[in-house]
Amino acid sequence: MSAPPSSPALPPVRTAVIGLGWVARSVWLPRLLRSPAFTVTAAVDPDERGRAAVAGSQGADATGLSVLAAVADLDPAEVDLAIVAVPNHLHCAVACELLTKGIPVFLEKPVCLTSEEAERLAAAERAGGTVLLAGSAARHRADVRGLYRAAERLGEVRHIELAWVRARGVPDRGGWFTQRSLAGGGALVDLGWHLLDIAVPLLGTAAFRHAIGTVSADFITQASSRAAWRDDDNDAEGDGDAAGGGGTDVEDTARGFLVTDDGRSVVLHASWASHEAVDTTRVTVDGSAGSATLRCTFGFSPNRLGESVLTRTADGTTRQLAVPTERVGAEYDRQLALLPGLLHDPAARGRAIDEARRTIGAIERVYTSARTVQEVRESAPV
C-alpha cells in the first residue's frame, strides 16, 4: 500500500478504537497514544472487563478518552477514524455500521469472511461516502520491502511461494479464534490472509482463476501448541476443549495451490503449529530472470529466527542481499504513519474492497477444495 506522505499541517486524527482485545491493547493503542498524528478520543467494547482494563491502564480521565460500550454511542462529528479490532465474525457488521454513519474505518485482517461480506462492505463504503482501509502491516516490513525491490530485477514474475509456519502458536484455543462460526476459519484465514496480502504488489490486479487445497488439524488440541506469548484468557492447560467452552473446529494447517488468470502460480502454506523448532516465514519469488527468497519471522512470537535473510539467485549464483535490522512490530508504526494521508487520498476509496474480494475469493476456493477432498475420503469404502 502506498500513499502520499501525511502533512504536518494536518490536525491530529481523532481516533476511536473498536474492540479492546489483545491486538488493540498490545499493538494499536500504545502506538496511537504516543503518536502526535493521532488523538485517541474513544475506546469501545461491550465487555465490561475490557473497558475497565483500558480505562485503568490508559488513564482515561486524565486524557479525555471516552470508554464506551457500543459503536452506536460514537458521534460521527467527533471521530475522524475508527480502528476496528473486534473478533472476526463482527468485522463486517461493525465496519458497515461505522461506514454507513460516514466514519472512515481501518479494519484489521481478515477484512471479511465471505465474498458476500465483501459486497456488504463495498455498499456501506459507498452509502457513507467515506473510505475503508485495511490492515496490511507485513507489506511494510523492511525485509519485505527489500524483497519487493529484489523482485523488480527478476523479470516477469512466474511463481510465488508463501509460507508462515509456527512451531507453536495456536491463538486463543477454545475461544473464538478456534471456532469456525466466529473466526471464519483457522490458520488459512489468520496467517494466510497476511501471506496473500504481501503477494498483492507482486501480482498486481491479477485474479485467481484456479485454487485447490487441503487442511489438517493435528496439533490444535495439544496444550503444547498454544500461543503462550499471547496470554489469551480462554486458553486452558491440558488437552481437549479450553476454558472458553467453544471447542475447536478449524484447521491448524492449510496448504493451497493457486493460479491467476494470467497464468502465474502461488503456493500457500499457513500453520499455527508444526514439527518445526522456530516460527518461520519464507517467501520465494521466481521470475524469468532470477529468483529471490526471504526467510524471516512475521508477527510477535518470541520463538523467531535471529535475523531476516534475503537472497537473490541468477545464472547459478546465489548472493545475500542487505536487509536493515528493525525492532519487532516496526511495520505497524509504518502503516500507522500512512493512515492520515490515506484518509485524504481519493484513490484509496474502493482499493481495500478490491483486494479483499480477491483474497477472500481465494480462501473460499481453497476451503471448498479441502471440503471436497474430505467428502471423497469419507465416502470411500474402507
Side-chain angles (χ1 to χ4, degrees), residues 201-286:
L202 299 167
L203 295 175
T205 59
F208 292 111
R209 180 179 295 273
H210 305 289
I212 59 172
T214 62
V215 298
S216 57
D218 297 323
F219 304 92
I220 200 164
T221 60
Q222 298 176 12
S224 60
S225 295
R226 64 185 287 265
W229 50 272
R230 282 180 54 96
D231 194 27
D232 290 312
D233 293 334
N234 285 333
D235 211 356
E237 298 301 328
D239 292 342
D241 294 351
T248 58
D249 63 353
V250 298
E251 79 285 353
D252 56 47
T253 299
R255 296 175 174 87
F257 186 86
L258 307 98
V259 180
T260 64
D261 52 13
D262 58 3
R264 291 175 284 179
S265 55
V266 175
V267 168
L268 184 69
H269 180 190
S271 290
W272 275 340
S274 69
H275 301 295
E276 300 298 323
V278 179
D279 298 3
T280 304
T281 307
R282 179 185 174 96
V283 181
T284 295
V285 182
D286 285 325

Side-chain angles (χ1 to χ4, degrees), residues 15-38:
T15 306
V17 177
I18 318 298
L20 304 177
W22 180 87
V23 71
R25 299 193 311 268
S26 302
V27 177
W28 295 118
L29 273 171
R31 287 170 169 79
L32 289 163
L33 290 168
R34 65 174 177 253
S35 172
F38 297 86

Side-chain angles (χ1 to χ4, degrees), residues 49-89:
R49 292 172 302 173
R51 297 197 304 273
V54 168
S57 65
Q58 307 300 338
D61 292 340
T63 63
L65 171 65
S66 298
V67 182
L68 308 172
V71 168
D73 296 331
L74 288 174
D75 182 353
E78 297 179 357
V79 180
D80 302 315
L81 175 68
I83 292 183
V84 175
V86 297
N88 292 0
H89 70 291

Side-chain angles (χ1 to χ4, degrees), residues 146-223:
L147 177 67
Y148 290 155
R149 289 192 295 272
E152 294 174 356
R153 302 178 58 192
L154 301 180
E156 295 294 325
V157 172
R158 305 299 189 195
H159 177 73
I160 302 172
E161 296 184 12
L162 306 162
W164 185 352
V165 178
R166 289 178 179 166
R168 295 167 298 283
V170 177
D172 194 24
R173 186 169 56 85
W176 69 262
F177 254 109
T178 56
Q179 296 179 60
R180 185 170 302 279
S181 62
L182 302 180
L188 179 58
V189 170
D190 184 33
L191 308 185
W193 193 289
H194 283 292
L195 293 172
L196 289 168
D197 186 72
I198 65 169
V200 170
L202 299 167
L203 295 175
T205 59
F208 292 111
R209 180 179 295 273
H210 305 289
I212 59 172
T214 62
V215 298
S216 57
D218 297 323
F219 304 92
I220 200 164
T221 60
Q222 298 176 12

Side-chain angles (χ1 to χ4, degrees), residues 50-122:
R51 297 197 304 273
V54 168
S57 65
Q58 307 300 338
D61 292 340
T63 63
L65 171 65
S66 298
V67 182
L68 308 172
V71 168
D73 296 331
L74 288 174
D75 182 353
E78 297 179 357
V79 180
D80 302 315
L81 175 68
I83 292 183
V84 175
V86 297
N88 292 0
H89 70 291
L90 298 174
H91 279 195
C92 180
V94 171
C96 284
E97 181 177 353
L98 291 161
L99 290 167
T100 302
K101 294 172 69 168
I103 298 176
V105 170
F106 173 86
L107 185 55
E108 263 289 357
K109 62 85 196 161
V111 173
C112 54
L113 299 183
T114 65
S115 293
E116 185 272 336
E117 285 191 352
E119 298 314 314
R120 286 169 56 192
L121 287 165

